[in-house]
Amino acid sequence: MLKTFDIAMKESAGYFRSPLAYVILTVALTVFNAFFFLIIDQNREAALTDVFRVMEFMFVFLIPLLTMKTLAEEKQTGTLEFLLTTPTTEGQIICGKYLGTLFFVSILVAITGIYYGILASFASPEAGMAFAGYLGIWLEAAFFIAVGIFCSGLTGSHLLAAILAYAVLFGLYFLKSFNSYLHGPAETVLRYAAVMTHSENFFVGIIAAADLAYLGSGILIFLLLSIIFLRKR
Amino acid sequence: MIRVSKLNHFYGKQRALADVDLAIGKGEIVGFLGCNGAGKTTLMRILTTFLRPASGEVFVAQMDALRRPLDVRRKIGYLPENPPLYPALTVGQYLYFAARLKDVPARKQKMQVDKVIAACSLRAVRDRLIAALSKGFKQRVGLAQAVINEPPVLILDEPTNGLDPVQILQVRDLIKQQGSERTVLLSTHILSEIEQVAPRVLIIQKGEIIADGKQSDLLARAGKKNLEELFLAAVRGEE
């Protein structure tokens, strides 16, 4: 557990030392802020639902940029050989890297908490609905990070890792758009597999067991796959 | 301290190690020679548990490396061919990180970091970013992480690769100093280094150990004057 924490600390500290992470933070917050004011101004509604939708779409683009280095760089520079010749398990390495990245993204999500504060100072937003939305976007980001780390473990190239993660995340994100072309069980499976089916419930204030199970099991599956692939090096 | 028997490894269909048998005792310094692609790094990676062999047995410090890899890693210090460093960390931060991963108890970490910094002459660069270090310093930082947990077995893969003559001397002295306390397996292409540091020599060719013994015995048996002649004769298959 301590080693997981050590690796997580090194990973998150690495983000704060990297210019790319600050660029991502700045771009994300600038876009979020712009859309927050546009959405509130146009909708005239004390709700963050559409802001969460924008954050979700942005995370599909931004998270692969954060995760592409996690394992690919360790492979490229040979530090993976260092990690795996210390008494550290593959599980500790993957979980450490996962938690380090999650910490960085959690800070980004936490900063957007100010939107609720701004809304609350001018109107009466529903606290429960906002909480569900924040929980949803945070879990979705956590899921995307697990996908990104898995893709980073498949290759020694940052670029390829990012492309693979984009392929998986775009697939999961746009899957719902193909719903109308299918019928019966295939349509049901596709609807369940699409990440938007589940995130949408959180954004409108519904915390459902099925959606928690989807995101939770998604995180677990991709972390386990990352561990398995690292063991099979 | 190290015992290997009937070790085989393949990369696809290509055989990297062929029925390798090997025993290295406590406190021995062994020079490991071979051409590029002969199987040196593969054998070293198997000993450090980074690679799992296709077949065979590997024991390090009386422990089965295939069944108890984590325990074996506690007994091994390893410097790969390219020192495994994080450029964004300072030397001190990196060594503390290595100490924690290598299970150095919290109360001993500062002492061990100070000790290896002194032993590897890294005091002047302790707070400097690794990215800003010269190749010689990077190599010494790599060696410092390998010995930070005082392992009884030290495996060094071309530790003087790419260094200038002064840096080679510094790293060689460091290896001699470390070798007085532990078992060392040292791979290098610089034959003079082996002549000066390692009383015993292993030569590997196409995944097979083709010579193993004391330098003096091997030279006498083959009727060669120096290690260079012995090595060239061995890899060319001369009697």
Side-chain angles (χ1 to χ4, degrees), chain A residues 2-37:
Chain A
L2 271 179
K3 285 184 193 175
T4 303
F5 179 72
D6 282 330
I7 294 169
M9 288 294 288
K10 191 195 79 61
E11 200 68 20
S12 58
Y15 285 122
F16 288 106
R17 276 190 286 261
S18 145
L20 177 69
Y22 285 103
V23 169
I24 288 173
L25 212 59
T26 308
V27 168
L29 287 173
T30 306
V31 173
F32 294 168
N33 290 346
F35 274 92
F36 170 70
F37 286 105

Side-chain angles (χ1 to χ4, degrees), chain B residues 21-178:
Chain B
D21 291 312
L22 174 66
I24 302 175
K26 195 175 173 181
E28 275 193 279
I29 303 182
V30 179
F32 194 24
L33 298 173
C35 299
N36 286 334
K40 300 191 298 293
T41 299
T42 302
L43 180 58
M44 288 180 153
R45 283 180 166 172
I46 289 172
L47 292 176
T48 59
T49 77
F50 181 71
L51 275 183
R52 209 179 157 80
S55 65
E57 288 185 332
V58 183
F59 285 85
V60 176
Q62 284 81 48
M63 287 181 292
D64 188 335
L66 305 182
R67 289 192 181 156
R68 296 169 61 190
L70 292 186
D71 291 329
V72 165
R73 290 177 197 174
R74 286 189 187 93
K75 302 289 180 189
I76 283 181
Y78 177 45
L79 175 63
E81 192 176 341
N82 297 309
L85 307 173
Y86 294 102
L89 297 184
T90 65
V91 172
Q93 286 169 337
Y94 173 69
L95 291 175
Y96 269 105
F97 181 60
R100 287 194 294 269
L101 291 190
K102 293 185 174 201
D103 293 336
V104 175
R107 64 193 152 77
K108 281 189 173 176
Q109 281 170 12
K110 186 182 178 311
M111 191 183 79
Q112 283 305 110
V113 169
D114 290 344
K115 197 173 164 182
V116 295
I117 280 180
C120 300
S121 309
L122 292 167
R123 254 190 218 116
V125 295
R126 184 184 181 128
D127 298 319
R128 205 177 289 173
L129 283 179
I130 288 173
L133 298 183
S134 68
K135 191 155 185 175
F137 270 122
K138 283 181 181 166
Q139 206 73 18
R140 278 192 259 169
V141 176
L143 200 54
Q145 67 75 24
V147 296
I148 199 154
N149 56 332
E150 299 191 326
V153 178
L154 199 52
I155 295 177
L156 309 172
D157 195 355
E158 301 188 25
T160 54
N161 191 15
L163 300 185
D164 67 39
V166 177
Q167 292 169 333
I168 288 175
L169 276 178
Q170 288 170 340
V171 172
R172 192 182 294 164
D173 287 343
L174 210 55
I175 294 165
K176 273 186 190 167
Q177 186 191 326
Q178 295 298 329

Side-chain angles (χ1 to χ4, degrees), chain A residues 194-214:
Chain A
V195 72
M196 277 171 82
T197 308
H198 305 277
S199 60
E200 199 55 30
N201 286 340
F202 284 104
F203 299 163
V204 296
I206 301 165
I207 301 177
D211 304 324
L212 287 171
Y214 171 87

Side-chain angles (χ1 to χ4, degrees), chain A residues 69-197:
Chain A
K69 282 169 72 175
T70 46
L71 288 165
E73 188 171 70
E74 302 262 5
K75 281 185 187 176
Q76 206 175 50
T77 59
T79 45
L80 191 64
E81 199 168 348
F82 160 72
L83 290 177
L84 288 168
T85 51
T86 66
T88 308
T89 63
E90 288 84 353
Q92 287 169 324
I93 293 169
I94 295 294
C95 290
K97 293 201 160 279
Y98 177 71
L99 292 175
T101 311
L102 184 59
F103 178 70
F104 182 81
V105 175
S106 299
I107 288 175
L108 175 59
V109 174
I111 292 172
T112 66
I114 202 166
Y115 300 155
Y116 179 77
I118 292 170
L119 277 189
S121 63
F122 290 105
S124 305
E126 216 180 295
M129 191 171 157
F131 172 77
Y134 275 111
L135 178 66
I137 196 69
W138 182 75
L139 279 174
E140 197 176 10
F143 175 43
F144 289 177
I145 293 168
V147 171
I149 288 178
F150 168 71
C151 294
S152 182
L154 294 178
T155 168
S157 150
H158 298 181
L159 186 64
L160 196 56
I163 291 169
L164 284 171
Y166 281 130
V168 178
L169 293 184
F170 274 112
L172 288 168
Y173 185 78
F174 288 110
L175 217 52
K176 210 179 169 191
S177 315
F178 296 96
N179 249 3
S180 52
Y181 300 104
L182 296 168
H183 302 284
E187 189 259 338
T188 311
V189 170
L190 196 75
R191 187 157 25 88
Y192 186 79
V195 72
M196 277 171 82
T197 308

